[in-house]
Amino acid sequence: MSLLDIRGLHKSFGGIRATDDLTLAVAEGELHAVIGPNGAGKTTLVSQLSGLQYPDAGTITFAGRDITRLPAHRRSRLGMARSFQVTSLVMDMSVLDNVALAVQARQGSSFRFLRPARSIPALRDPARALLERVGLGARADMPTSALSHGEHRSLEIAIALAAEARLMLLDEPMAGLGTEEAAAMVELLRGIKGRQAILLIEHDMDAVFALADRISVLVYGHVIATGTPEEIRGNARVREAYLGEDAC
Ligand code: ATP
């Protein structure tokens, strides 16, 4: 059984079918990328997965449970973490404190205190370990506002990891990154993939083809192909959909 199972999803806005009989499955531990030309329906899919919008028809099953109409906050409790559009970094707190707060959120109310999260070893130590994992170990004590754009992205990954989610929903992690920062992000994601499943929505084809175990191609709200990077590269329908865009 798949960890995430999307079946026959439909979502229309007036006459526009943003999601059209969309079926897609993500296995435990898999890095599954969703690509598609502009307006293909990627944002609408992410909204339905995170519970910000509900589909007109179809089902979304996560870890064996129907979550199609479950409110957003309850999805995160089930083990789905979404990064980049929901996460907000607290800029005037230290880098370490941002992650310590995320660790605290996962651990629930076992720490009720007025002291800063960082002074509690049970929060601080895992937070430091997460910062090491994303390459920000040396930045732990800096104010978050002092980090570069790329480092903010890495910090958001650390915060998503702190949730210990079974599925991480990464919505365009490469957006706005320069060449070097994008390469660093690819390495970071390569390092964390495997433990939890990742659904990666991304325009950067180099990143997608470097990282994905499988790729699904969305066109007019419908998945026209799912396969390994090699299968997708050689797929005639995919090439046709991307004609004029120098994608795969
Ligand atoms: P991009 O890659 O350009 O961000 P996308 O793949 O994320 O595009 P969506 O933003 O999901 O695509 O849009 C899919 C289609 O649905 C588009 O035709 C868009 O205009 C339409 N659409 C999305 N949201 C709405 C809305 N709230 N009202 C009307 N139409 C919408």
Side-chain angles (χ1 to χ4, degrees):
M1 197 183 64
S2 304
L3 179 62
L4 177 70
D5 205 354
I6 305 168
R7 293 215 183 151
L9 217 59
H10 287 269
K11 178 78 182 172
S12 292
F13 300 103
I16 298 169
R17 289 182 186 180
T19 308
D20 186 9
D21 194 20
L22 189 158
T23 292
L24 187 156
V26 179
E28 199 94 49
E30 175 186 34
L31 195 153
H32 195 123
V34 174
I35 62 171
N38 288 335
K42 300 181 294 295
T43 305
T44 309
L45 172 62
V46 170
S47 297
Q48 292 170 93
L49 286 176
S50 41
L52 301 177
Q53 289 179 344
Y54 295 139
D56 301 329
T59 56
I60 304 172
T61 308
F62 178 69
R65 179 165 172 186
D66 186 339
I67 60 159
T68 314
R69 286 173 191 283
L70 201 67
H73 67 278
R74 295 195 45 207
R75 294 181 196 217
S76 53
R77 270 190 247 147
L78 285 181
M80 271 173 92
R82 183 183 176 195
S83 202
F84 302 122
Q85 291 185 346
V86 169
T87 310
S88 51
L89 302 174
V90 185
M91 289 294 168
D92 59 3
M93 273 180 12
S94 76
V95 172
L96 182 66
D97 280 348
N98 266 280
V99 184
L101 277 182
V103 174
Q104 184 192 14
R106 183 193 76 228
Q107 293 181 349
S109 56
S110 50
F111 294 99
R112 287 175 186 276
F113 50 81
L114 295 171
R115 329 186 245 165
R118 65 177 328 174
S119 68
I120 298 177
L123 303 177
R124 190 188 57 215
D125 295 348
R128 276 202 190 275
L130 286 165
L131 286 174
E132 291 294 339
R133 254 181 102 189
V134 303
L136 289 177
R139 299 271 198 260
D141 299 315
M142 290 174 69
T144 299
S145 56
L147 298 186
S148 71
H149 181 57
E151 288 172 332
H152 283 145
R153 286 286 156 92
S154 301
L155 178 55
E156 285 169 337
I157 297 275
I159 288 170
L161 287 171
E164 292 187 351
R166 288 173 77 180
L167 176 74
M168 279 172 68
L169 195 54
L170 299 186
D171 195 1
E172 302 204 17
M174 310 293 162
L177 299 186
T179 317
E180 275 178 31
E181 286 181 327
M185 180 56 76
V186 167
E187 283 319 306
L188 196 170
L189 294 179
R190 207 197 298 276
I192 66 169
K193 70 175 269 195
R195 286 201 212 177
Q196 66 281 298
I198 298 178
L199 187 65
L200 173 68
I201 316 285
E202 184 52 60
H203 276 287
D204 181 332
M205 293 299 156
D206 291 338
V208 164
F209 279 82
L211 288 167
D213 298 310
R214 287 194 303 158
I215 299 172
S216 286
V217 184
L218 204 57
V219 177
Y220 293 121
H222 189 71
V223 173
I224 62 159
T226 293
T228 63
E230 288 67 36
E231 287 165 348
I232 293 301
R233 222 186 279 276
N235 185 301
R237 285 188 74 195
V238 174
R239 289 183 168 277
E240 199 180 313
Y242 273 100
L243 218 59
E245 299 191 20
D246 57 348
C248 27

